[in-house]
């Protein structure tokens, strides 16, 4: 509500009763839980596994909360190409203490942690309602603003991901601090909601101390809370005037001193540079345009509610690589800003909330875009929607109210889409972990090797500790290759055993160490830069030769181990498009395929063949003998039926194990390639492998479908518009080698 409007009446504003506040909070709590309650069963994802292990290991010492969120990839997985020690060092002791308390009280229950995230988000929604009500004195539109924030697109990932709980807690503390500061300044205590006071209102020291205390807690929850140091004087200027601003100068001095002290501690005494690529540092004039494109992307994602994933982060020069994207994001931000200014320019302090959005993203512009980075900016967006609905521009009142309602409806519509996307991302990690659970824990193995591991499973070793406990304590895990795609292996892979000690892996489409992931793996982990064809990298257990390298990345690698591949100390897993992990079995190079039992020709009837097809598809290995015999026979109908039933199963096994026979296993070539297929099957496939493949293929089909929903959403969006905003733009460039 503007000062012009409030001055039309000399009647004091009737304060809302505690019952009306309670009713509003109850409604918002139920509304928010209906949307976010599904995340109670989301379990752990990515960084959560590491954080949970740290909460379990850390004590209650003064120092432990400072280091519980520090991440060092060297402790997670061994990488043969790594030459640098990487470290993510954060300052989140307040969030860690909350998580530690929940962990101790609940016995480490993920459901309890998720319940806390939802509860804190609900509190943030209710506090936002109080802020909007204070700004407009209109409970209905304050409710609309709070509901927009409750289902805000970027809240889906932030509330559901336990590692982002610090963002939710930070935002809640900032809102509480701001409300306390407004109370301390005297706003809302008289007949007018806001007024220019003559003389300036007295600062209420109790509320001011509470506001400062909450702000300090938020600083030690997440560093970007420093922005509130600018919001305090902005509110005084907008709602009290210049004299009021001057009267608070000692308070700003205290805030500045505290903020400056925190920055010195964080950037000098508790600082470790983040890895390259994850954060981009100034590297020439092109950086300025990149920074500007990244800022536009952040602002667009917040006010347009588009996915805040990678975007310009993955490009060297966005304005030259994807100029259409840059123009689009700038146009969206410009149009929405113009509409907001046209409708809200007479509202006191209307400029604070765009400033809130800007300040919320400034500290993270150089960092890779992630969805939870948009949550804090959602406060400014939701308040903006509330002010839009209460526009004091006579010609805009009607359409502004409709636009505010439409924003809420659109946000509610986005929510299930983003929820399906989040489920798909979680499923991408779970596919691998759930399949690993089917395998037995290590006994004599000392090294586990992953081939084509999705990067989303970088915490595989920590997850194996959850699955197998102490059995994995002295076992080393190695990533021989990461899938070129972050979430899954999206193409066939050919794995060929060369001899008793070595094998090669080859891909033909997206190469290893390509794209944005390749830039991270190379630029942040290697001192010597890109690899060269013929390079050999040595580790304590094996050596790697770069056989084939293109401008995009490596498409063929050969691994030579110092012990035989069949040695009891080795365990190998391969990830393919349809399988999270299949345990590989290598054989002695002189192994001869089994001949199999002789099948009586009288048994090669159509009925028996049909029965064998069903049994083979369910994983019964012995039924393959009858089908192989039927395919070898000259009986055309029986042979064709057996071939049609055998080939799909053989193709599934070949894809799961990366066999070179894959190219021969299709309906057009299977007939002429049958002798080769037969030899491969009898030499490389046994009952345990077939059973494992068919069980995993059937048991985790639903989980793969959930994962596929993510890619379906992206492909649908790409049909409408091809842009980085919806992860549908051109491929991201790989590492620069020159």
């Amino acid at each position: 509500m503007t000062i012009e409007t409030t001055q039309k009446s000399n009647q004091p504003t009737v304060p809302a009763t505690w019952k009306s506040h309670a009713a509003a909070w109850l409604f918002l709590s139920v509304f928010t839980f209906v949307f976010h309650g599904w995340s109670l069963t989301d379990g752990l994802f990515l960084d959560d596994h590491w954080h949970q292990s740290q909460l379990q290991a850390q004590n209650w010492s003064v120092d432990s909360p400072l280091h519980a969120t520090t991440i060092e990839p060297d402790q997670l997985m061994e990488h043969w190409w790594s030459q640098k020690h990487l470290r993510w060092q954060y300052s989140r002791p307040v969030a860690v203490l909350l998580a530690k308390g929940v962990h101790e009280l609940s016995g480490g229950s993920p459901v309890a942690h998720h319940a806390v995230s939802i509860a804190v988000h609900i509190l943030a929604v209710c506090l936002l309602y109080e802020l909007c009500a204070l700004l407009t004195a209109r409970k209905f539109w304050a409710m609309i603003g709070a509901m927009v924030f409750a289902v805000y697109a970027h809240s889906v990932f932030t509330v559901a991901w336990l590692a982002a709980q610090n963002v939710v807690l930070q935002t809640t503390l900032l809102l509480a601090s701001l409300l306390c500061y407004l109370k301390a300044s005297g706003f809302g205590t008289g007949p007018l909601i806001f007024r220019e006071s003559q003389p300036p209102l007295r600062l209420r020291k109790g509320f001011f101390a509470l506001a400062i205390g909450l702000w300090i807690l938020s600083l030690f929850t997440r560093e970007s809370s420093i922005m509130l140091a600018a919001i305090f004087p902005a509110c005084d200027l907008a709602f009290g005037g210049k004299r009021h601003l001057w009267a608070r100068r000692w308070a700003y001095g205290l805030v500045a001193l505290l903020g400056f002290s925190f920055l010195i501690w964080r950037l000098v005494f508790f600082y470790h540079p983040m890895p390259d690529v994850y954060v981009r540092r100034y590297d020439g004039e092109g950086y300025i345009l990149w920074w500007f494109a990244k800022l536009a992307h952040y602002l667009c994602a917040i006010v347009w509610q588009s996915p805040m994933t990678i975007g310009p982060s993955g490009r060297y020069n966005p304005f030259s690589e994807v100029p259409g994207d840059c123009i689009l994001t700038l146009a969206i931000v410009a149009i929405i800003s113009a509409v907001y200014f046209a409708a809200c320019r007479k509202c006191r302090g209307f400029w604070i909330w765009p400033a809130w959005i800007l300040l919320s993203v400034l500290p993270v512009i150089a960092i890779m875009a992630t969805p939870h980075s948009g949550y804090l900016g959602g406060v400014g967006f939701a308040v903006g929607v509330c002010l839009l609905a209460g526009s004091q521009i006579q010609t805009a009142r009607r359409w502004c109210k409709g636009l505010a309602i439409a924003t809420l409806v659109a946000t509610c519509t986005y929510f299930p889409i983003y929820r399906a996307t989040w489920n798909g991302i979680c499923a991408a990690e779970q596919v691998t972990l759930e399949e690993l659970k089917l395998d037995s824990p290590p006994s004599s193995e000392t090294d586990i090797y992953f081939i084509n591991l999705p990067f989303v499973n970088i915490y595989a070793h920590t997850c194996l500790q959850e699955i197998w406990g102490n059995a994995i304590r002295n076992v080393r895990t190695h990533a021989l290759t990461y899938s070129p795609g972050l979430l899954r292996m999206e193409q066939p892979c050919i794995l060929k055993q060369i001899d008793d000690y070595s094998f090669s892996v080859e891909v033909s489409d997206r190469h290893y160490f390509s794209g944005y992931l390749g830039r991270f793996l190379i630029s942040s982990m290697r001192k010597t830069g890109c690899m060269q064809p013929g390079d050999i990298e040595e580790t304590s257990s094996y050596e790697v030769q770069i056989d084939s390298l293109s401008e995009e990345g490596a498409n063929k690698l050969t691994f030579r181990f110092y012990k035989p591949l069949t040695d009891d100390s080795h365990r190998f897993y391969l990830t393919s498009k349809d399988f999270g992990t299949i345990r590989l079995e290598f054989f002695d190079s002189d192994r001869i395929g089994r001949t199999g039992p002789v099948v009586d020709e009288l048994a090669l009837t159509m009925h028996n063949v049909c029965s064998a097809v069903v049994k083979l598809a369910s994983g019964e290995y012995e039924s393959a003998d009858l089908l192989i015999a039927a395919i070898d026979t000259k009986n055309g109908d029986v042979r064709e039926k057996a071939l049609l039933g055998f080939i799909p199963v053989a193709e599934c096994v070949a894809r799961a194990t990366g066999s070179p026979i894959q190219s021969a296993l299709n309906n057009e070539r299977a007939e002429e390639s049958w002798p080769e297929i037969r030899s491969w099957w009898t030499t490389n496939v046994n009952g345990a492998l077939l059973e494992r493949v068919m069980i995993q293929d059937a048991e985790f089909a639903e989980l793969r479908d959930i994962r596929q929903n993510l890619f379906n959403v992206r492909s649908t969006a790409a049909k409408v518009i091809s842009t980085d905003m919806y992860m549908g733009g051109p491929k991201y460039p790989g590492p620069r080698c020159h």
Side-chain angles (χ1 to χ4, degrees):
M1 182 176 289
T2 65
I3 191 169
E4 292 84 0
T5 301
T6 57
Q7 285 177 335
K8 291 181 179 179
S9 172
N10 292 324
Q11 298 299 320
T13 302
V14 178
T17 64
W18 69 267
K19 291 184 178 180
S20 65
H21 283 282
W25 281 46
L26 177 61
F27 171 81
L28 289 172
S29 299
V30 173
F31 177 83
T32 306
F33 185 80
V34 166
F35 281 88
H36 287 279
W38 303 100
S39 65
L40 281 172
T41 57
D42 281 350
L44 307 178
F45 172 72
L46 204 61
D47 297 351
D48 298 343
H49 299 286
W50 176 254
H51 293 162
Q52 284 292 93
S53 68
Q54 293 300 294
L55 291 175
Q56 183 70 30
Q58 295 282 345
N59 53 33
W60 286 95
S61 67
V62 175
D63 196 45
S64 61
L66 294 174
H67 299 286
T69 49
T70 297
I71 299 173
E72 297 175 288
D74 292 348
Q75 300 180 18
L76 308 177
M77 194 87 67
E78 295 194 21
H79 307 92
W80 55 265
W81 61 88
S82 178
Q83 300 168 338
K84 297 179 183 178
H85 176 71
L86 304 186
R87 188 177 188 181
W88 279 263
Q89 183 166 289
Y90 301 104
S91 170
R92 313 279 165 78
V94 173
V96 171
L97 287 173
L98 173 63
K100 179 68 173 177
V102 175
H103 182 87
E104 293 295 328
L105 292 173
S106 67
S109 168
V111 174
H113 286 284
H114 282 291
V116 170
S117 288
I118 296 172
V120 176
H121 178 57
I122 289 174
L123 179 57
V125 170
C126 294
L127 291 175
L128 184 68
Y129 165 79
E130 296 296 334
L131 178 61
C132 290
L134 185 64
L135 292 170
T136 64
R138 298 183 179 185
K139 292 186 290 184
F140 177 79
W141 296 115
M143 187 73 72
I144 295 298
M147 291 168 68
V148 166
F149 184 68
V151 295
Y152 184 58
H154 302 306
S155 72
V156 178
F157 291 71
T158 312
V159 176
W161 188 22
L162 295 180
Q165 188 180 89
N166 59 81
V167 182
V168 185
L169 180 60
Q170 168 209 26
T171 304
T172 305
L173 290 170
L174 286 180
L175 283 168
S177 177
L178 179 58
L179 285 169
C180 286
Y181 186 80
L182 293 175
K183 191 74 172 177
S185 287
F187 300 134
T189 60
L192 302 178
I193 299 300
F194 301 116
R195 63 182 182 184
E196 292 207 31
S197 54
Q198 298 291 337
L201 297 174
R202 179 178 60 87
L203 186 67
R204 304 170 71 181
K205 292 182 175 58
F207 279 107
F208 178 69
L210 184 57
I212 295 300
L214 291 167
W215 179 54
I216 292 174
L217 289 176
S218 70
L219 283 173
F220 285 99
T221 301
R222 196 171 176 88
E223 299 86 341
S224 55
S225 297
I226 196 73
M227 59 173 280
L228 205 60
I231 298 298
F232 285 159
C235 290
D236 283 329
L237 176 62
F239 305 135
K242 294 179 180 178
R243 289 192 63 188
H244 186 91
L245 184 70
W246 176 250
R248 298 284 180 267
R249 59 190 182 277
W250 68 268
Y252 308 144
L254 176 61
V255 170
L257 177 62
L258 292 172
F260 187 66
S261 300
F262 172 79
L263 290 177
I264 291 177
W265 173 80
R266 182 66 181 91
L267 299 178
V268 177
F269 297 104
F270 195 80
Y271 175 75
H272 189 279
M274 289 188 178
D276 294 333
V277 181
Y278 182 81
V279 57
R280 181 172 176 179
R281 298 169 179 84
Y282 182 79
D283 53 5
E285 295 180 358
Y287 179 83
I288 298 174
L289 287 177
W290 176 87
W291 190 93
F292 187 66
K294 187 77 178 298
L295 173 61
H297 171 73
Y298 268 125
L299 297 178
C300 181
I302 289 174
V303 299
W304 186 247
Q305 299 190 67
S306 58
M308 192 178 285
T309 50
I310 303 183
S313 301
R315 305 209 174 274
Y316 292 106
N317 301 296
F319 278 96
S320 59
E321 293 177 36
V322 283
D325 268 22
C326 298
I327 294 173
L328 179 62
T329 54
L330 288 171
I332 291 174
V333 172
I335 292 171
I336 293 179
S337 299
V339 170
Y340 178 76
F341 176 78
C344 303
R345 65 184 185 274
K346 289 189 177 181
C347 294
R348 279 193 178 274
F350 78 93
W351 49 271
I352 294 175
W353 312 111
W356 178 291
I357 294 174
L358 179 63
L359 292 172
S360 72
V361 299
L362 279 179
V364 295
I365 289 179
I367 300 174
M368 184 186 73
T370 48
H372 59 275
S373 295
Y375 182 85
L376 179 58
V379 170
F381 176 77
V383 173
V385 172
C386 179
L387 294 182
L388 183 71
S391 172
Q392 301 303 311
I393 308 298
Q394 190 67 30
T395 56
R397 284 184 179 180
R398 185 171 299 176
W399 64 264
C400 282
K401 290 178 172 59
L403 186 57
I405 295 295
T407 301
L408 175 59
V409 172
T411 306
C412 291
T413 304
Y414 295 154
F415 194 95
I417 299 173
Y418 282 84
R419 178 66 195 177
T421 302
W422 167 251
N423 289 341
I425 294 174
C426 291
E429 181 192 50
Q430 292 167 3
V431 165
T432 299
L433 301 182
E434 291 299 320
E435 292 186 12
L436 281 171
K437 289 179 181 179
L438 296 180
D439 209 352
S440 59
S443 53
S444 60
E445 293 93 340
T446 59
D447 294 89
I448 294 177
Y449 303 95
F450 290 101
I451 307 167
N452 300 338
L453 185 71
F455 195 74
V456 72
N457 292 116
I458 191 172
Y459 290 97
H461 184 86
T462 305
C463 295
L464 289 176
Q465 290 178 326
E466 299 170 6
I467 297 171
W468 293 331
N470 290 334
I472 198 72
R473 175 179 295 177
N474 298 319
V475 176
R476 298 184 301 171
T477 52
H478 310 256
L480 298 185
T481 61
Y482 281 115
S483 165
L486 289 170
L487 302 178
R488 69 177 183 183
M489 187 67 181
E490 300 179 8
Q491 59 185 320
C493 163
I494 302 301
L495 188 150
K496 183 178 181 180
Q497 182 175 346
I498 300 171
D499 53 38
D500 292 348
Y501 291 85
S502 60
F503 63 83
S504 64
V505 289
E506 184 176 0
V507 289
S508 57
D509 188 9
R510 295 182 64 182
H511 295 177
Y512 298 120
F513 305 104
S514 63
Y516 185 66
L517 175 59
R519 287 169 55 193
F520 172 75
L521 298 177
I522 295 297
S523 299
S524 67
M525 301 180 76
R526 288 179 65 82
K527 296 179 181 178
T528 56
C530 291
M531 307 165 188
Q532 300 298 325
D535 281 356
I536 296 178
E537 303 283 346
E538 296 182 353
T539 73
S540 60
S541 304
Y542 59 93
E543 64 180 30
V544 188
Q545 178 172 307
I546 315 301
D547 292 328
S548 180
L549 195 68
S550 68
E551 292 185 359
E552 182 184 352
N555 63 322
K556 187 177 181 181
L557 305 168
T558 296
F559 296 87
R560 296 185 180 89
F561 289 79
Y562 305 141
K563 295 180 181 179
L565 298 175
T566 56
D567 192 88
D568 291 341
S569 64
H570 296 323
R571 181 182 289 198
F572 296 90
Y573 289 104
L574 176 71
T575 296
S576 61
K577 182 176 181 180
D578 298 319
F579 295 90
T581 49
I582 286 292
R583 186 173 174 180
L584 297 176
E585 292 186 29
F586 292 100
F587 304 101
D588 295 333
S589 56
D590 58 354
R591 174 185 169 91
I592 300 175
R594 69 180 186 86
T595 57
V598 178
V599 179
D600 189 343
E601 289 190 13
L602 296 177
L604 302 179
T605 64
M606 184 63 74
H607 173 77
N608 288 344
V609 167
C610 290
S611 177
V613 167
V614 174
K615 292 178 180 179
L616 184 65
S618 65
E620 186 179 302
Y621 180 71
E622 290 74 15
S623 58
D625 292 332
L626 187 141
L627 294 180
I628 290 173
I631 296 172
D632 288 338
T633 189
K634 295 180 180 180
N635 187 331
D637 292 340
V638 171
R639 186 176 194 277
E640 182 179 0
K641 180 64 179 178
L643 194 64
L644 290 175
F646 180 84
I647 292 302
V649 175
E651 186 179 15
C652 185
V653 175
R655 290 198 313 269
T657 57
S659 171
I661 201 68
Q662 291 177 75
S663 59
L665 286 167
N666 59 65
N667 293 332
E668 296 179 359
R669 293 194 56 194
E671 185 82 26
E672 61 186 65
S673 304
W674 171 244
E676 184 184 355
I677 296 171
R678 189 186 198 282
S679 175
W680 162 76
W681 180 274
T682 57
T683 303
N684 296 279
V685 182
N686 56 34
L689 174 60
L690 177 63
E691 182 180 18
R692 188 160 58 242
V693 169
M694 301 316 293
I695 287 177
Q696 291 183 204
D697 184 52
E699 187 165 339
F700 301 110
E702 183 178 355
L703 200 56
R704 292 195 302 272
D705 289 341
I706 296 173
R707 180 184 65 180
Q708 182 60 36
N709 288 336
L710 166 66
F711 298 94
N712 293 340
V713 169
R714 289 182 180 175
S715 61
T716 301
K719 292 177 182 177
V720 178
I721 180 171
S722 179
T723 170
D724 286 349
M725 286 173 57
Y726 296 95
M727 292 297 292
K731 290 182 179 179
Y732 287 109
R736 287 177 169 173
C737 298
H738 303 290

